[in-house]
Amino acid sequence: MPRPIEALIHQRSLAHNLARARASAPDARVWAVVKANAYGHGIDNVFEALRGADGFALLDLDEAQKLRELGWRGPILLLEGCFETRDLELCSRLHLWHAVHCEQQIDWLAMHKTHEPHRVFLKLNSGMNRLGFTPAAFRAAWTRLNALPQVDEISLMTHFSDADALRKGTDGIAHQLAAFEAACADLPGERSACNSAATLRHAARVGGDWVRAGIMTYGGVPDFPEHDAAHWDLQPGMTLRSKIIAVQQLQPGDTVGYGSSFTADKAMRIGIVACGYADGYPRHAGSGTPVLVDGQRSATVGRVSMDMLAVDLDALPNSGFGSEVTLWGQGPKGNVLPIDEVAQAAGTIGYELMCAVTRRVPVTVERIEH
Ligand SMILES: *Cc1c(COP(=O)(O)O)cnc(C)c1O
């Protein structure tokens, strides 16, 4: 029998979450953001569920190629654009739309030989200072692109750094939105500014023709813990689950795991779960990180090791050897352990956990029936 850990991908939930993005921004088209192998879910595994999107946005050219091989003929956007001049050949061949965020990318386009001109998304650095032209350079970049025969349509995009939070007494996006609106004023072209957080919190105000729904598509909450998945009506796209493969009876003073970081203060029963950091479970999740055992809430005890972790069974007398343990996602009795709660306990965000599930974890896809 294989080691009992597995990841389940819930296509129905992914489709539900995509519909939530659409409902949050009813006047916009929706990019399903599938970078990083669909946030760790696997492009092949999510494609059926998300093909109702208006387009797919990602970074890696081989993932774009995969989507074309899966039969997707609609828009694909490269969020970081091209990394070298010959990437443009693939863009021409596969009809990829691409971000243009720096002068070098315009230089490459100007030298590119193509029969069909490209659709590009000109990116404004509205304050995040990662990618994009400064407001002062934006118009000149637009004018340069507009003069190129290699370019067909120019859309305008930017990215918010604080759409999930309040920042310096503002609502997090005001200064960037003002910069975007000023830079784009009287330029033609479609606009795209919202990530998941902005789609959920600010879509009506930001407007735009396309929203870029990443984390929410997978059921992760961009503004946890201010809001949770129930608040936004998002469902886990992934469940990580395993089983208890051993039970230990502790006496007061007994310790658990490497470093003996947990000491029992009373007699208690613990279960050893076949899941560790080599599966992608965060090693920084300390004692008390929530888990579901047979669908009931419990908590980890002691350090996470490479292949195992321990859970408290003291309040769960009917659970033991062979019990199902939900590390995050959908439990066996319909209850949910949000990935955001596990991430918080490990000092990180749901994004990182879902991207970090490792190759040794077998994946089962719960398919949408047509
Ligand atoms: C990853 C990414 C997104 C999606 O962000 P989420 O917070 O996951 O919704 C949107 N836009 C760009 C440019 C990105 O890189």
Side-chain angles (χ1 to χ4, degrees), residues 33 35 39 57 59 79-80 123 130-131 157-160 192-199 211-218 222 351:
V33 180
K35 63 189 179 190
Y39 288 48
L59 318 174
L79 290 166
E80 293 181 346
K123 185 155 190 179
R130 224 170 44 169
L131 300 182
M157 72 184 288
T158 196
H159 193 58
F160 295 123
S192 177
C194 288
N195 56 4
S196 295
T199 300
V211 296
R212 309 189 297 269
I215 193 70
M216 69 177 294
T217 305
Y218 306 97
Y351 296 73

Side-chain angles (χ1 to χ4, degrees), residues 173-340:
I173 63 163
H175 61 300
Q176 287 191 266
L177 182 58
F180 189 51
E181 284 173 349
C184 298
D186 61 68
L187 284 181
E190 295 188 338
R191 285 149 167 72
S192 177
C194 288
N195 56 4
S196 295
T199 300
L200 290 169
R201 295 167 69 101
H202 305 294
R205 203 167 118 236
V206 175
D209 302 284
W210 295 85
V211 296
R212 309 189 297 269
I215 193 70
M216 69 177 294
T217 305
Y218 306 97
V221 177
D223 61 354
F224 185 85
E226 184 186 344
H227 295 119
D228 62 11
H231 175 87
W232 293 124
D233 184 18
L234 300 172
Q235 301 173 359
M238 176 199 289
T239 293
L240 182 66
R241 72 179 184 193
S242 186
K243 286 187 174 160
I244 292 178
I245 60 168
V247 173
Q248 303 295 340
Q249 181 66 50
L250 305 183
Q251 300 307 319
D254 283 352
T255 63
V256 178
Y258 286 117
S260 300
S261 71
F262 179 86
T263 305
D265 58 5
K266 58 180 182 354
M268 66 181 286
R269 219 162 54 96
I270 62 167
I272 306 301
V273 184
C275 175
Y277 62 78
D279 302 299
Y281 191 88
R283 184 176 170 280
H284 288 101
S287 290
T289 301
V291 295
L292 303 179
V293 179
D294 291 326
Q296 296 154 284
R297 271 182 94 100
S298 184
T300 65
V301 292
R303 257 187 217 163
V304 174
S305 52
M306 184 183 283
D307 311 306
M308 287 173 265
L309 56 81
V311 296
D312 187 350
L313 296 181
D314 223 37
L316 305 172
N318 298 324
S319 295
F321 188 86
S323 283
E324 182 174 325
V325 177
T326 308
L327 287 317
W328 60 69
Q330 303 187 4
K333 293 172 182 153
N335 39 3
V336 164
L337 176 58
I339 195 168
D340 310 293

Side-chain angles (χ1 to χ4, degrees), residues 37 43-44 61-72:
N37 200 23
I43 295 221
D44 307 86
L61 286 107
D62 56 348
E63 291 183 346
Q65 198 149 10
K66 164 79 73 60
L67 275 172
R68 289 292 185 235
E69 284 160 12
L70 287 168
W72 177 252

Side-chain angles (χ1 to χ4, degrees), residues 97 117-122 142 150-155 189-190:
W97 303 357
H118 290 195
R119 167 99 178 242
V120 298
F121 277 64
L122 179 62
W142 187 91
Q150 291 89 345
V151 173
D152 168 24
E153 208 176 317
I154 308 172
S155 303
E190 295 188 338

Side-chain angles (χ1 to χ4, degrees), residues 31 54-56 68 71-76 94-95 97:
W31 294 109
D54 298 294
F56 288 94
R68 289 292 185 235
W72 177 252
R73 303 170 70 102
I76 297 177
L94 300 180
H95 302 285
W97 303 357

